[in-house]
């Protein structure tokens, strides 16, 4: 099946004439899913999905859900038709029928039989995709970082609460054994008092240089830009590369910081309600990868200060990290011992640099995707609940707010806001949406 709607911006506005984007689908009469009230389901019930964004991670998530007998991908949606054929084929091969294909995700949200939405669009679209999905009564598996700005983080968690939705964020490291083991060890107190955490990623990506050109006919560029600032199309600033472009992403601080700082924050917290920094200051710039169209800084050193417990965290985007993996998180105790964890392993190192034997936890956690399916049925909080990963995403944005403004930024966890004005005049805090897009705050 094919949704033949043209998704030009004009049509997008016409479709939502009763209430533009950001409008309450709930109040505009668009059908809501039967599970709107969040009723519990039985373990054998199938969770029916629609996918927004058929890029690398959107389809990776769909594939992971397809490995479960109680999950079904019923519909897919992308604003670039050239990105969908492979996904359509995989889904058709799996179920013996083609998925319902959409270009406009709001049309897909009208399907009452869809229980849950995978948000696999670029970061600058997550907030609207998720809020509209919540309004339509869907649960959401939303990719990380949850949002493009702190303001969007607040709008998204408010919508989740308002519509009582189950939302899992794609920070799958929370369900991966090396990370859960390392976090359990740190939380057990065996490493002693922790005074310092480090998180880092090596970044050497160039997106090259391209002159503005006409978008390919398969891509609705206006809809791809969505609420971001309209800029001329350049082929090296869209798919995948958008994360190194500050109009649509936050560089590797939001892209990988949300994974690696997340582990530090979780280890230093008792549960999913994360410790938050009181003060953040960052320096950096585009100093290494010059003569390139990327504008996200390639070199960053950030210092995050925490109280209760007192500790410091550094976040680095750098060229290399001698003797260590290209990404990772470390916890350093008052007596100089270190827990280091990365994708592939974890280790405990004593103050003399010797590895200390460790034990693996038992049992191995269920997969991140299985955890979401279970929580959709039980209505329990998944392992990477939106509120929790919103806190990590905000930490990333505080780093960018300091970097972009050159100011030290203070955070008040109880007010969930920046203290004073430092850092507020940045896109990491808040951005004006391109008309007619509106960010609704429930
Ligand atoms: N959890 C992880 O480990 C992990 C890994 C990679 C990417 N990600 C996240 O996944 C998301 C997607 O990243 P990617 O690398 O797959 O990007 P991508 O650019 O490859 O794919 C995004 C797709 O979304 C489509 N799209 C854009 N706006 C849309 C809209 N309004 N409606 C429907 N489709 C739309 C694009 O055309 C594109 O095909 C990002 O948030 C990214 O941070 C997570």
């Amino acid at each position: 099946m094919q949704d033949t709607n043209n998704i030009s911006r004009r049509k997008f506005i016409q479709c939502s004439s009763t209430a533009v984007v950001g409008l309450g689908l709930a109040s505009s009469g668009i059908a809501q899913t039967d599970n709107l009230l969040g009723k519990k389901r039985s373990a054998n019930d199938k969770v029916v999905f629609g996918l927004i964004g058929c890029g690398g991670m959107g389809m990776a998530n769909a594939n992971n859900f397809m490995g479960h007998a109680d999950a079904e991908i019923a519909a897919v949606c992308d604003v670039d038709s050239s990105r969908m054929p492979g996904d359509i084929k995989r889904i058709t091969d799996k179920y013996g029928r083609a998925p319902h294909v959409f270009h406009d995700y709001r049309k897909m949200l009208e399907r009452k039989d869809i229980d849950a939405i995978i948000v696999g669009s670029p970061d600058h679209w997550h907030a609207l995709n998720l809020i509209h999905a919540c309004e339509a009564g869907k649960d959401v598996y939303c990719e990380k970082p949850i949002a493009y700005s702190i303001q969007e983080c607040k709008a998204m968690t408010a919508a989740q609460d308002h519509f009582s939705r189950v939302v899992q964020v794609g920070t799958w490291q929370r369900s991966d054994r090396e990370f859960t083991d390392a976090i359990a060890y740190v939380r057990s107190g065996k490493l002693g008092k922790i005074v310092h955490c480090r998180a880092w990623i090596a970044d050497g990506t160039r997106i090259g240089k391209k002159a503005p050109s006409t978008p390919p006919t398969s891509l609705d560029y206006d809809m791809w830009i969505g609420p971001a600032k309209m800029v001329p199309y350049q082929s090296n600033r869209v798919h995948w590369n958008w994360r190194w472009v500050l109009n649509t992403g936050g560089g590797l601080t939001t892209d990988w910081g949300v994974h690696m700082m997340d582990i530090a924050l979780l280890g230093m917290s008792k549960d999913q309600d994360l410790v938050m920094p009181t003060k953040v200051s960052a320096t950096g710039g585009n100093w290494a990868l010059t003569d390139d169209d990327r504008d996200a800084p390639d070199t960053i050193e950030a210092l995050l200060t925490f109280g209760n417990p007192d500790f410091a965290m550094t976040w680095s985007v750098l060229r290399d990290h001698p003797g260590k993996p290209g990404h990772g998180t470390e916890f350093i105790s008052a007596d100089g011992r270190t827990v280091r964890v990365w994708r592939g392993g974890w280790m405990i190192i004593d103050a003399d640099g010797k590895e200390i034997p460790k034990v693996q936890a038992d049992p191995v956690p269920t997969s991140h995707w299985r955890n979401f399916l279970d929580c959709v049925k039980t209505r329990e909080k998944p392992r990477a609940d939106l509120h929790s990963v919103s806190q990590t995403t905000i930490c990333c944005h505080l780093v960018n707010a300091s970097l972009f403004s050159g100011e030290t930024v203070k955070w008040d966890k109880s007010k969930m806001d920046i203290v004073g004005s430092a850092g507020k005049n940045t896109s990491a805090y808040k951005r004006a949406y391109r008309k007619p897009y509106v960010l609704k705050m429930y």
Side-chain angles (χ1 to χ4, degrees):
M1 280 187 285
Q2 179 100 20
D3 164 28
T4 49
N5 267 352
N6 178 329
I7 49 161
S8 70
R9 185 151 153 264
R10 195 158 49 85
K11 274 266 166 72
F12 193 77
I13 298 163
Q14 282 167 357
C15 285
S16 53
S17 58
T18 47
V20 249
V21 186
L23 56 109
L25 292 183
S27 56
S28 65
I30 291 178
Q32 295 160 8
T33 307
D34 293 342
N35 74 356
L36 184 63
L37 298 176
K39 65 183 181 214
K40 288 194 182 182
R41 296 153 158 264
S42 88
N44 295 329
D45 280 350
K46 214 166 238 190
V47 179
V48 179
F49 283 91
L51 166 64
I52 301 177
C54 298
M57 203 56 204
M59 195 55 210
N61 287 319
N63 266 331
N64 277 312
F65 285 119
M66 273 159 45
H68 296 274
D70 58 344
E72 186 182 335
I73 313 295
V76 295
C77 167
D78 202 296
V79 296
D80 185 344
S81 59
S82 75
R83 301 216 97 199
M84 295 197 280
D87 302 352
I88 294 168
K89 179 173 183 327
R90 239 169 284 155
I91 294 166
T92 308
D93 289 349
K94 165 83 183 169
Y95 300 113
R97 49 117 194 103
H100 194 166
V101 177
F102 292 89
H103 294 289
D104 182 338
Y105 71 92
R106 293 163 319 118
K107 287 274 163 208
M108 186 170 79
L109 294 178
E110 289 178 8
R111 261 188 70 159
K112 283 185 86 177
D113 60 324
I114 291 179
D115 303 297
I117 296 295
I118 302 165
V119 174
S121 52
D123 302 356
H124 68 290
W125 258 109
H126 290 183
L128 292 180
N129 291 161
L130 178 134
I131 292 168
H132 292 158
C134 290
E135 288 171 345
K138 316 297 186 194
D139 294 325
V140 184
Y141 185 96
C142 179
E143 263 315 329
K144 49 50 59 176
I146 73 160
Y148 176 82
S149 69
I150 290 174
Q151 183 200 34
E152 287 185 347
C153 289
K154 293 186 194 182
M156 292 164 83
T157 49
Q160 179 196 18
D161 291 349
H162 187 85
F163 293 99
S164 304
R165 297 292 88 213
V166 171
V167 181
Q168 173 93 300
V169 182
T171 44
W172 53 264
Q173 291 181 169
R174 287 190 178 204
S175 300
D176 228 42
R177 190 177 191 165
E178 50 259 28
F179 294 100
T180 55
D181 279 3
I183 288 166
Y185 186 83
V186 167
R187 283 186 178 173
S188 75
K190 289 183 190 143
L191 193 67
K193 184 180 173 186
I194 292 156
V195 290
H196 196 163
C197 294
R198 281 195 204 112
W200 70 91
I201 178 74
D203 180 12
T205 303
R206 289 180 186 278
I207 63 170
K209 284 185 88 65
K210 295 271 182 201
S213 58
T214 308
T217 51
S218 65
L219 171 66
D220 184 335
Y221 181 60
D222 192 286
M223 182 77 165
W224 187 91
I225 282 282
K229 187 173 165 225
M230 178 48 76
V231 288
Y233 172 81
Q234 283 172 267
S235 60
N236 60 338
R237 289 164 69 99
V238 288
H239 304 320
W240 176 256
N241 285 349
W242 51 262
R243 43 182 49 76
W244 288 281
V245 178
L246 293 178
N247 188 33
T248 45
L252 286 202
T253 294
T254 48
D255 198 41
W256 270 81
V258 77
H259 279 304
M260 304 326 296
M261 284 195 262
D262 193 48
I263 299 306
L265 296 170
L266 274 171
M268 298 304 290
S269 307
K270 293 188 194 71
D271 50 33
Q272 284 210 49
D273 180 21
L274 303 179
V275 291
M276 289 293 283
T278 50
K279 193 165 79 162
V280 178
S281 99
T283 187
N286 288 83
W287 299 333
L289 308 169
T290 52
D291 195 29
D292 192 85
D293 283 340
R294 62 176 279 169
D295 58 359
D298 54 49
T299 307
I300 301 169
E301 198 61 41
L303 175 64
L304 297 87
T305 307
F306 294 76
N308 191 27
D310 292 320
F311 71 101
M313 177 154 91
T314 56
W315 163 248
S316 314
V317 175
L318 70 187
R319 231 58 51 228
D320 64 1
H321 213 75
K324 296 184 182 181
H327 66 272
T329 305
E330 286 181 340
F331 300 86
I332 299 112
S333 71
D335 62 13
R337 285 175 296 155
T338 299
V339 162
R340 180 185 303 157
V341 59
W342 66 99
R343 294 180 182 181
W346 73 286
M347 62 201 296
I348 315 163
I349 309 156
D350 71 15
D352 298 325
K354 284 200 236 59
E355 196 172 341
I356 300 171
K358 60 180 193 293
V359 282
Q360 296 271 297
D362 197 35
V364 176
T366 52
S367 86
H368 210 56
W369 298 270
R370 177 73 257 158
N371 175 244
F372 178 68
L373 292 171
D374 291 343
C375 291
V376 166
K377 295 174 190 183
T378 61
R379 313 309 294 168
E380 283 169 12
K381 222 182 239 190
R383 267 183 225 129
D385 177 59
L386 186 74
H387 274 270
S388 184
V389 187
S390 165
Q391 292 175 311
T392 309
T393 305
I394 287 170
C395 282
C396 301
H397 286 308
L398 291 173
V399 168
N400 275 348
S402 172
L403 188 62
F404 300 162
S405 65
E407 299 169 313
T408 294
V409 177
K410 295 188 176 156
W411 182 252
D412 183 331
K413 182 176 172 175
S414 61
K415 295 198 177 120
M416 214 178 144
D417 205 0
I418 284 179
V419 182
S421 59
K424 275 193 177 157
N425 194 20
T426 62
S427 57
Y429 181 68
K430 183 179 178 173
R431 86 136 120 217
Y433 268 30
R434 186 168 71 105
K435 285 184 182 154
Y437 299 95
V438 175
L439 183 69
K440 175 150 183 168
M441 193 68 73
Y442 280 95

